[in-house]
Amino acid sequence: MADAKADSLHIENGVVHSRHVQEIDQGNAAVLLDIRVDDEKGDAGSLRLAKDKHTVLIPQPSDDPEDPLNWPWSKKHMILFIVALSAFCGDFSSGAGIPCIIPQGEEWNMSPNKVNYAGNLNVIMLGIGGIWWIPCVYFWGRAPVLFWTVLAGTFFTLGCCLTTNFSVFYGLRALQGFTLTSGQTIGLAYIKDMFYFHEHARKIGLWAGLFLLSPYCGPMFGNFIIDGTGSWRDVFWLVFAICCFDLVLIVLFADESWYRRDIAQADQPSRGDRLSRLVGFWQIRVHDGYFLPITTSYLRLWSVFIKPIMIPTMTYQMLSFMWSVGINITSSILFATPKAVGGYGFNAKALGFLYLTPIVGVSLGELFGHFFNDFLANRYIRKHHGIFKPEARLWTNYIAAFFMIPGLIIVGQALEKHLHYSAIVMGWGMYVFGVMLASVAITTYALDSYPARSGEVSCFLNFARVCGGFTVGYFQQPWGEKDGYGISFGVQAVLVAVGLAILICLHKFGASMRAKGGSVH
C-alpha cells in the first residue's frame, strides 16, 4: 500500500485508529493542528499532542521505538545533517568547477565558455538525477539510495581529480551531478518520515539552508585555492574530501526511515541490523508487502506531476531561482572580465571574497525564515480555530519578491554602468536573501499540499530550479554583451514579477485547484 494512508494512522496496542484521520483531516489538505479556540484549550480526546499540550501531532505516532517519529532527537538531527550535507555535496561540486574554467581552458587550449559546458551539463544532471532516484526510495528504501549514490559520486569526483582529458572530464562531471543530487531530493522524504507536520518548515529551512549555501561555498573556496596554488585539480581534491567525509557519516550514522504505520507493531518485520538496512539487503528481504512495487513507484511521479498546482508551483520556482544559478555559473566571466574591456577585473582571490555576499544572504534568509514561517503558520491557526491550510505558507513569498526584483535590477545596473562593486554586493545579497525565503516557503507549501508525496514534490521543484539555471548558463553572458546588462537583468526582474503573478493565482485559487485535482494515495 502507498504511504499516504500509513502517514495518517495511529497504532495503539496493534490496532489502527482511523478515527484520528477523521479528526485531523479537514479535507483538501487542511488539517487540525491546534486544539485551542480563542486561546482556550479544547478537548484533545484521544489525539496525541506535542509537549506544549495543544499542538496536534501529525501523523499520530505509534508506540513502536523503531518508528522514525520516535527516534531520539540526536539520531533525527544527525540524519538531518547527513542528508543536508549530501545535498550540499551536489551543488558544492557543481559550483566548485566555476573558478576552474580559466585554468582548465589554458591547459586544454579551449575558451572558458567552452569549458563551462561541462559545468552546464553537471547542473542539468542534478535535476535529471533527482527525478531518477526518487522512485528508488519507495521500492528499495531511503538509506541504500543515499549510500550508493554518494559512494558512486565520490568515485566520479576522484576521476575528475585525476583526468587529463576534457572529454573524460566532461563525462565524469555529468555522472557526478547525476549521483550527488540524491540528497537534494531524498532530504524532504527523510524530513517527512522523522518529523511532525508542525516541525516541517524549520527542518526544511535547515536542510535547504545548508544545500543552498553550497553553490556559493564551492566557488568561494575554489577561487581561494586557485589564487593560492594555481591548480584546478586542488579544488576537486577538496570536493573529494568533503564527499568522503559525508560518506563516513553515512556509514556511521545513517538509517532507513521508511516505516509502515498501517501495519500493527506486532506485524512489523524485524528491522535487522543497521548496516544491512544501509546497503539495502534488509529492504530486499522484506520488500514484498512492505515496500512499493517498481511500477507503482514510477507511476507516483506522474500522479503528482498532473496535479493542477504542480506546474504553476514549478514555474514559480524556476522563474524565481534560475537567475541565481545563472549568475553563479557565469560569475568567473561576468566579474573577471578585464577592466580594459569594461569589466571589473576581479582576480581569483577577489572573486572568492565576493562570494561571501550570497553566503551571508542565504544565512540571513534562513535566520529570518526560521522564525517568520512559524509565526505566519501560528497566526493563521489562531485566526482559523486550530485549522491550517497550505496557502498560509505563501505570504513569505511576497516578502521574498520585495528583495528579489530590485536586487536583480541593482546587479544589472552595476554591471551596465560599472558602478562600484558594493552595488553588486547589495543587489546580489538582496536577491539571494529573497531566493532563500521563497524556496523554503514554496517547498513547504507543496509538501503541505501533498504530504504523502514528499519525494516527488522535492524532485520536481529541484528539477525546475536546476533546469532554469542550466539554460541561463548558455545565454546569460552573450545576452548581456549584446543588449546590455541593464536590459538583460531588468528582463530577469520582470520574469520574477511574472512568477509573483503566478504565486498570487496559487494563493487565491490553489485550494480550489487542489480540490479539483483530488488527493493522492
Side-chain angles (χ1 to χ4, degrees), residues 58-238:
I58 305 175
Q60 291 281 281
S62 70
D63 296 318
D64 188 355
E66 298 291 349
D67 184 344
L69 290 171
N70 296 327
W71 283 351
W73 185 95
S74 57
K75 180 173 182 176
K76 288 183 180 184
H77 287 83
M78 173 55 76
I79 293 177
L80 177 63
F81 174 72
I82 289 171
V83 294
L85 181 60
S86 300
F88 180 94
C89 287
D91 275 6
F92 184 83
S93 67
S94 181
I98 294 168
C100 299
I101 62 174
I102 294 177
Q104 285 175 328
E106 294 172 353
E107 179 176 330
W108 290 322
N109 295 316
M110 300 171 64
S111 70
N113 228 20
K114 290 289 186 182
V115 176
N116 204 31
Y117 288 167
N120 290 339
L121 180 62
N122 175 273
V123 169
I124 192 61
M125 294 307 288
L126 289 171
I128 294 173
I131 293 178
W132 177 263
W133 297 119
I134 279 301
C136 301
V137 307
Y138 293 107
F139 68 76
W140 194 18
R142 277 74 156 142
V145 173
L146 182 66
F147 170 72
W148 290 109
T149 54
V150 172
L151 178 64
T154 301
F155 277 104
F156 293 137
T157 303
L158 178 61
C160 291
C161 298
L162 300 176
T163 186
T164 58
N165 181 279
F166 176 73
S167 297
V168 174
F169 178 81
Y170 186 84
L172 288 170
R173 285 285 274 165
L175 292 171
Q176 182 191 51
F178 183 75
T179 51
L180 290 181
T181 189
S182 63
Q184 298 179 355
T185 50
I186 295 175
L188 205 57
Y190 264 109
I191 289 171
K192 179 187 167 285
D193 291 343
M194 298 188 300
F195 297 100
Y196 296 105
F197 185 97
H198 68 280
E199 300 176 301
H200 285 170
R202 286 195 175 190
K203 306 311 175 185
I204 289 172
L206 293 172
W207 165 69
L210 185 57
F211 94 72
L212 290 180
L213 283 174
S214 59
Y216 310 115
C217 289
M220 182 182 73
F221 288 114
N223 275 297
F224 288 151
I225 290 171
I226 287 176
D227 179 71
T229 70
S231 171
W232 65 266
R233 287 183 177 81
D234 290 343
V235 177
F236 280 89
W237 281 117
L238 173 63

Side-chain angles (χ1 to χ4, degrees), residues 292-338:
L292 302 185
I294 294 177
T295 303
T296 302
S297 300
Y298 279 93
L299 288 176
R300 287 165 59 100
L301 286 168
W302 178 249
S303 71
V304 173
F305 183 72
I306 62 175
K307 294 302 178 185
I309 71 164
M310 279 310 299
I311 291 180
T313 302
M314 291 170 63
T315 304
Y316 170 80
Q317 173 81 331
M318 181 181 72
L319 291 176
S320 300
F321 207 109
M322 62 192 293
W323 317 113
S324 174
V325 181
I327 294 173
N328 203 35
I329 62 181
T330 57
S331 62
S332 291
I333 301 172
L334 288 176
F335 304 133
T337 302

